[in-house]
């Protein structure tokens, strides 16, 4: 939402929440930026996603959002939509197949990354200093 815009009266800004995963798990649709944490959680939960990437110096959220849109895993808008656009956006997001974003989640990714790093370290040690 633009910094100078007041939120609509029916929008509750929850701020930082310790129970964010539970809130997301109960949602039919998640609306948010394209930060790593939110995208990973939305994918893990298989939630429909309306992505509003936040401006970043290197454009990483815009790039990630564009890729999500290209995969059919999210509806993306580059800026906060006008009030009149929301009904159509919500219909478009409701039509998403949540299996598209869920397919991006790999519950074994951390373990596989650790094995890869360990193997790379072993190879580096074998070459010596």
């Amino acid at each position: 939402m633009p910094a100078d815009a007041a939120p609509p009266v029916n929008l509750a800004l929850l701020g930082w929440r310790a129970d964010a995963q539970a809130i997301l798990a109960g949602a039919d649709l998640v609306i948010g930026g394209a930060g790593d944490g939110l995208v990973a959680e939305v994918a893990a939960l298989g939630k429909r996603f309306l992505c509003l990437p936040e401006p970043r110096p290197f454009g990483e959220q815009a790039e990630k959002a564009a890729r999500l849109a290209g995969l059919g895993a999210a509806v993306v808008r580059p800026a906060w939509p006008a009030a009149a656009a929301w009904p159509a956006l919500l219909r478009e997001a409701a039509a998403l197949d949540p299996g598209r974003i869920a397919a991006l989640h790999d519950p074994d990714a951390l373990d596989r990354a650790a094995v890869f790093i360990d193997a790379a370290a072993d190879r580096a040690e074998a070459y010596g200093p």
Side-chain angles (χ1 to χ4, degrees):
M1 176 169 25
D4 60 345
V9 295
N10 63 344
L11 177 64
L13 299 177
L14 301 178
W16 184 263
R17 297 287 300 257
D19 59 342
Q21 187 178 36
I23 292 169
L24 293 173
D28 292 324
L29 168 68
V30 175
I31 301 170
D36 290 339
L38 181 60
V39 172
E41 195 65 39
V42 169
L45 294 169
K47 296 296 179 175
R48 290 173 176 88
F49 188 36
L50 173 52
C51 184
L52 306 171
E54 298 177 38
R56 294 289 189 257
F58 299 103
E60 67 273 12
Q61 285 202 17
E63 291 296 321
K64 188 184 313 169
R67 188 67 181 127
L68 289 170
L71 292 170
V75 171
V76 175
R77 293 299 180 273
W80 190 265
W86 281 96
L89 275 174
L90 295 175
R91 283 191 299 276
E92 185 180 352
L96 286 170
D97 173 2
R100 295 275 182 137
I101 197 160
L104 301 176
H105 175 66
D106 179 357
D108 299 322
L110 214 56
D111 291 336
R112 288 187 310 105
V115 168
F116 175 83
I117 292 168
D118 192 42
D122 287 346
R123 286 191 304 275
E125 282 181 355
Y127 286 113

